[in-house]
Amino acid sequence: FGRAAAFALHGKRETGLEMQPAGCNVGNEAANERKAVELPHVQPREAGVMGVSLNRAASRIALVIFALAVVGLMAFGDSQASASHVSCGDTITVDTTLDSDLLNCPNNGILIGADGITLDLNGHVIDGDGTPTAGCDPAVEFCDTGVSNDFDDRVTIKGGRVRDFSLGVFIFKARHNRLRGLSIFRNTFTGIVLGRSARSVVKRSSASRNGLTTDSPGMLLFESHHNRIAHNRMVGNADVGLDVVGSDHNHILHNRLRRHPLDGIVIDG
């Protein structure tokens, strides 16, 4: 897996942006002097349909591998939260309702650490500091993610905003998760990611203005099956609104998508 993480962190996109090895330190050209592994060269969008397709493929490869790198070996943070007052980087293991905003988180927002719990943002915001996290290695821990859940089933995340992280909400290898009433915006990569997850629901949420410097979609499903994406709003993301990759038997209905430079929804088998 380390090679996949290294590829994600060193890969170059056609825009010239480098994914740096210092955790999620993406786009900081001074952070790494090691030789970058280049993705296939692609032509500008003006070159026509082939250029657009290659551009999207290169973006997707970088993003999906980055998402896998984020989960890495899954070492949770040291702090475990079990009450409604939590701090940036805490892992929650019981039902939690935020009693205040989490502002300028230097790394992660909140990590999910148990099956069957609810995280109620209660109208509050989980806010990153808008800069990549130095010294965080995504091969061994989460890096710069607003809300993260790996492997925990029957989790509900609802009712608030997540902004200014590398990834907004990331669900990995989990079943029966529920995301509703969320506003996910202004994240460096994708707002909402379902990776290798099944039978989950994203409902009445929004993903806007994500990936503006990385050509990333508002929402990404990869290798995720039997999910329901309904009554959501995706506006002004840099690539497409919803990107579905290697995912089957998903129900995508009653979503509103606008102001995307490529397509509203892209589905690749």
PDB file of all heavy atoms in Angstrom, residues 111-128:
ATOM      1  N   LEU A 111     -13.115  12.078  13.882  1.00  0.00           N
ATOM      2  CA  LEU A 111     -12.986  10.703  13.408  1.00  0.00           C
ATOM      3  C   LEU A 111     -14.055   9.841  14.072  1.00  0.00           C
ATOM      4  O   LEU A 111     -14.291   9.949  15.274  1.00  0.00           O
ATOM      5  CB  LEU A 111     -11.600  10.150  13.732  1.00  0.00           C
ATOM      6  CG  LEU A 111     -10.402  10.992  13.283  1.00  0.00           C
ATOM      7  CD1 LEU A 111      -9.105  10.339  13.727  1.00  0.00           C
ATOM      8  CD2 LEU A 111     -10.407  11.179  11.782  1.00  0.00           C
ATOM      9  N   ILE A 112     -14.700   8.990  13.269  1.00  0.00           N
ATOM     10  CA  ILE A 112     -15.688   8.046  13.793  1.00  0.00           C
ATOM     11  C   ILE A 112     -14.950   6.806  14.285  1.00  0.00           C
ATOM     12  O   ILE A 112     -14.100   6.262  13.571  1.00  0.00           O
ATOM     13  CB  ILE A 112     -16.707   7.661  12.712  1.00  0.00           C
ATOM     14  CG1 ILE A 112     -17.403   8.911  12.155  1.00  0.00           C
ATOM     15  CG2 ILE A 112     -17.721   6.667  13.267  1.00  0.00           C
ATOM     16  CD1 ILE A 112     -18.206   9.694  13.158  1.00  0.00           C
ATOM     17  N   GLY A 113     -15.309   6.339  15.502  1.00  0.00           N
ATOM     18  CA  GLY A 113     -14.578   5.223  16.084  1.00  0.00           C
ATOM     19  C   GLY A 113     -15.427   4.069  16.578  1.00  0.00           C
ATOM     20  O   GLY A 113     -14.929   3.216  17.315  1.00  0.00           O
ATOM     21  N   ALA A 114     -16.710   3.992  16.178  1.00  0.00           N
ATOM     22  CA  ALA A 114     -17.554   2.892  16.640  1.00  0.00           C
ATOM     23  C   ALA A 114     -18.734   2.722  15.702  1.00  0.00           C
ATOM     24  O   ALA A 114     -19.181   3.677  15.049  1.00  0.00           O
ATOM     25  CB  ALA A 114     -18.049   3.148  18.071  1.00  0.00           C
ATOM     26  N   ASP A 115     -19.268   1.493  15.645  1.00  0.00           N
ATOM     27  CA  ASP A 115     -20.482   1.223  14.888  1.00  0.00           C
ATOM     28  C   ASP A 115     -21.690   1.867  15.565  1.00  0.00           C
ATOM     29  O   ASP A 115     -21.718   2.070  16.780  1.00  0.00           O
ATOM     30  CB  ASP A 115     -20.743  -0.283  14.814  1.00  0.00           C
ATOM     31  CG  ASP A 115     -19.725  -1.028  13.962  1.00  0.00           C
ATOM     32  OD1 ASP A 115     -19.086  -0.392  13.101  1.00  0.00           O
ATOM     33  OD2 ASP A 115     -19.576  -2.251  14.171  1.00  0.00           O
ATOM     34  N   GLY A 116     -22.707   2.152  14.757  1.00  0.00           N
ATOM     35  CA  GLY A 116     -24.022   2.456  15.281  1.00  0.00           C
ATOM     36  C   GLY A 116     -24.161   3.768  16.025  1.00  0.00           C
ATOM     37  O   GLY A 116     -25.058   3.895  16.870  1.00  0.00           O
ATOM     38  N   ILE A 117     -23.316   4.759  15.739  1.00  0.00           N
ATOM     39  CA  ILE A 117     -23.404   6.025  16.453  1.00  0.00           C
ATOM     40  C   ILE A 117     -23.861   7.137  15.510  1.00  0.00           C
ATOM     41  O   ILE A 117     -23.821   7.002  14.291  1.00  0.00           O
ATOM     42  CB  ILE A 117     -22.069   6.407  17.123  1.00  0.00           C
ATOM     43  CG1 ILE A 117     -20.983   6.669  16.079  1.00  0.00           C
ATOM     44  CG2 ILE A 117     -21.639   5.330  18.109  1.00  0.00           C
ATOM     45  CD1 ILE A 117     -19.693   7.230  16.669  1.00  0.00           C
ATOM     46  N   THR A 118     -24.290   8.245  16.115  1.00  0.00           N
ATOM     47  CA  THR A 118     -24.723   9.423  15.363  1.00  0.00           C
ATOM     48  C   THR A 118     -23.843  10.606  15.725  1.00  0.00           C
ATOM     49  O   THR A 118     -23.619  10.884  16.908  1.00  0.00           O
ATOM     50  CB  THR A 118     -26.188   9.761  15.680  1.00  0.00           C
ATOM     51  OG1 THR A 118     -27.037   8.707  15.192  1.00  0.00           O
ATOM     52  CG2 THR A 118     -26.603  11.074  15.023  1.00  0.00           C
ATOM     53  N   LEU A 119     -23.354  11.286  14.699  1.00  0.00           N
ATOM     54  CA  LEU A 119     -22.687  12.573  14.881  1.00  0.00           C
ATOM     55  C   LEU A 119     -23.637  13.646  14.360  1.00  0.00           C
ATOM     56  O   LEU A 119     -23.885  13.739  13.160  1.00  0.00           O
ATOM     57  CB  LEU A 119     -21.366  12.626  14.109  1.00  0.00           C
ATOM     58  CG  LEU A 119     -20.691  14.007  14.046  1.00  0.00           C
ATOM     59  CD1 LEU A 119     -20.346  14.526  15.432  1.00  0.00           C
ATOM     60  CD2 LEU A 119     -19.440  13.952  13.170  1.00  0.00           C
ATOM     61  N   ASP A 120     -24.175  14.436  15.291  1.00  0.00           N
ATOM     62  CA  ASP A 120     -25.085  15.523  14.951  1.00  0.00           C
ATOM     63  C   ASP A 120     -24.310  16.834  15.056  1.00  0.00           C
ATOM     64  O   ASP A 120     -23.929  17.247  16.154  1.00  0.00           O
ATOM     65  CB  ASP A 120     -26.277  15.518  15.911  1.00  0.00           C
ATOM     66  CG  ASP A 120     -27.335  16.561  15.542  1.00  0.00           C
ATOM     67  OD1 ASP A 120     -27.082  17.380  14.631  1.00  0.00           O
ATOM     68  OD2 ASP A 120     -28.403  16.555  16.179  1.00  0.00           O
ATOM     69  N   LEU A 121     -24.070  17.468  13.921  1.00  0.00           N
ATOM     70  CA  LEU A 121     -23.334  18.731  13.945  1.00  0.00           C
ATOM     71  C   LEU A 121     -24.176  19.850  14.547  1.00  0.00           C
ATOM     72  O   LEU A 121     -23.640  20.911  14.895  1.00  0.00           O
ATOM     73  CB  LEU A 121     -22.874  19.107  12.533  1.00  0.00           C
ATOM     74  CG  LEU A 121     -21.545  18.480  12.055  1.00  0.00           C
ATOM     75  CD1 LEU A 121     -21.601  16.967  12.039  1.00  0.00           C
ATOM     76  CD2 LEU A 121     -21.151  19.010  10.689  1.00  0.00           C
ATOM     77  N   ASN A 122     -25.487  19.645  14.653  1.00  0.00           N
ATOM     78  CA  ASN A 122     -26.356  20.568  15.384  1.00  0.00           C
ATOM     79  C   ASN A 122     -26.256  21.999  14.847  1.00  0.00           C
ATOM     80  O   ASN A 122     -26.299  22.969  15.611  1.00  0.00           O
ATOM     81  CB  ASN A 122     -25.995  20.522  16.880  1.00  0.00           C
ATOM     82  CG  ASN A 122     -27.035  21.175  17.769  1.00  0.00           C
ATOM     83  OD1 ASN A 122     -28.215  21.207  17.435  1.00  0.00           O
ATOM     84  ND2 ASN A 122     -26.589  21.711  18.894  1.00  0.00           N
ATOM     85  N   GLY A 123     -26.119  22.104  13.522  1.00  0.00           N
ATOM     86  CA  GLY A 123     -26.046  23.423  12.911  1.00  0.00           C
ATOM     87  C   GLY A 123     -24.685  24.072  12.950  1.00  0.00           C
ATOM     88  O   GLY A 123     -24.511  25.185  12.442  1.00  0.00           O
ATOM     89  N   HIS A 124     -23.707  23.403  13.524  1.00  0.00           N
ATOM     90  CA  HIS A 124     -22.365  23.979  13.652  1.00  0.00           C
ATOM     91  C   HIS A 124     -21.500  23.642  12.438  1.00  0.00           C
ATOM     92  O   HIS A 124     -21.878  22.857  11.577  1.00  0.00           O
ATOM     93  CB  HIS A 124     -21.698  23.480  14.940  1.00  0.00           C
ATOM     94  CG  HIS A 124     -22.351  24.000  16.178  1.00  0.00           C
ATOM     95  ND1 HIS A 124     -22.301  25.318  16.567  1.00  0.00           N
ATOM     96  CD2 HIS A 124     -23.084  23.358  17.135  1.00  0.00           C
ATOM     97  CE1 HIS A 124     -22.953  25.489  17.693  1.00  0.00           C
ATOM     98  NE2 HIS A 124     -23.442  24.315  18.063  1.00  0.00           N
ATOM     99  N   VAL A 125     -20.319  24.252  12.404  1.00  0.00           N
ATOM    100  CA  VAL A 125     -19.379  24.051  11.313  1.00  0.00           C
ATOM    101  C   VAL A 125     -18.132  23.349  11.828  1.00  0.00           C
ATOM    102  O   VAL A 125     -17.677  23.606  12.954  1.00  0.00           O
ATOM    103  CB  VAL A 125     -18.995  25.398  10.650  1.00  0.00           C
ATOM    104  CG1 VAL A 125     -18.331  26.341  11.648  1.00  0.00           C
ATOM    105  CG2 VAL A 125     -18.096  25.176   9.442  1.00  0.00           C
ATOM    106  N   ILE A 126     -17.606  22.418  11.019  1.00  0.00           N
ATOM    107  CA  ILE A 126     -16.280  21.841  11.254  1.00  0.00           C
ATOM    108  C   ILE A 126     -15.384  22.447  10.185  1.00  0.00           C
ATOM    109  O   ILE A 126     -15.586  22.228   8.987  1.00  0.00           O
ATOM    110  CB  ILE A 126     -16.300  20.307  11.155  1.00  0.00           C
ATOM    111  CG1 ILE A 126     -17.295  19.722  12.162  1.00  0.00           C
ATOM    112  CG2 ILE A 126     -14.907  19.732  11.404  1.00  0.00           C
ATOM    113  CD1 ILE A 126     -17.445  18.217  12.074  1.00  0.00           C
ATOM    114  N   ASP A 127     -14.409  23.214  10.624  1.00  0.00           N
ATOM    115  CA  ASP A 127     -13.666  24.105   9.742  1.00  0.00           C
ATOM    116  C   ASP A 127     -12.177  23.793   9.796  1.00  0.00           C
ATOM    117  O   ASP A 127     -11.574  23.778  10.879  1.00  0.00           O
ATOM    118  CB  ASP A 127     -13.923  25.548  10.203  1.00  0.00           C
ATOM    119  CG  ASP A 127     -13.051  26.559   9.487  1.00  0.00           C
ATOM    120  OD1 ASP A 127     -13.193  26.691   8.266  1.00  0.00           O
ATOM    121  OD2 ASP A 127     -12.228  27.219  10.161  1.00  0.00           O
ATOM    122  N   GLY A 128     -11.583  23.508   8.628  1.00  0.00           N
ATOM    123  CA  GLY A 128     -10.133  23.341   8.567  1.00  0.00           C
ATOM    124  C   GLY A 128      -9.450  24.690   8.475  1.00  0.00           C
ATOM    125  O   GLY A 128     -10.094  25.740   8.387  1.00  0.00           O
TER     126      GLY A 128
END
